[in-house]
Amino acid sequence: MKKTKNFILRVDQDTMAAIEAWAADEFRSTNGQLQWIINEALRKSGRLPKPKKKTKTDVEEKEE
């Protein structure tokens, strides 16, 4: 399970309105939309860490 970190973000009214409208268009919460936007930007720039490959040990621990 991924841990999340809370933080305050200041956004001007016009930008926030655009984000809220975009979120509504995609049936996401505003928070979910912001997470998606950030994740997409990181993915496209190659800045996300590579996903770990699951080992046999990881699978066995999850089943227990």
Side-chain angles (χ1 to χ4, degrees), residues 16-34 37:
M16 192 64 186
I19 293 167
E20 289 170 338
W22 190 6
D25 289 347
E26 305 220 356
F27 303 103
R28 289 190 180 105
S29 66
T30 302
N31 188 65
Q33 189 69 20
L34 286 165
I37 291 166

Side-chain angles (χ1 to χ4, degrees), residues 20-64:
E20 289 170 338
W22 190 6
D25 289 347
E26 305 220 356
F27 303 103
R28 289 190 180 105
S29 66
T30 302
N31 188 65
Q33 189 69 20
L34 286 165
Q35 288 176 322
W36 180 83
I37 291 166
I38 292 166
N39 190 57
E40 281 297 295
L42 290 169
R43 184 185 63 76
K44 287 179 180 178
S45 69
R47 295 180 183 268
L48 278 179
K50 303 268 189 231
K52 293 181 186 177
K53 290 186 179 183
K54 293 192 179 207
T55 64
K56 185 177 178 182
T57 307
D58 292 336
V59 173
E60 290 171 353
E61 287 176 0
K62 191 171 185 176
E63 290 175 354
E64 293 177 358

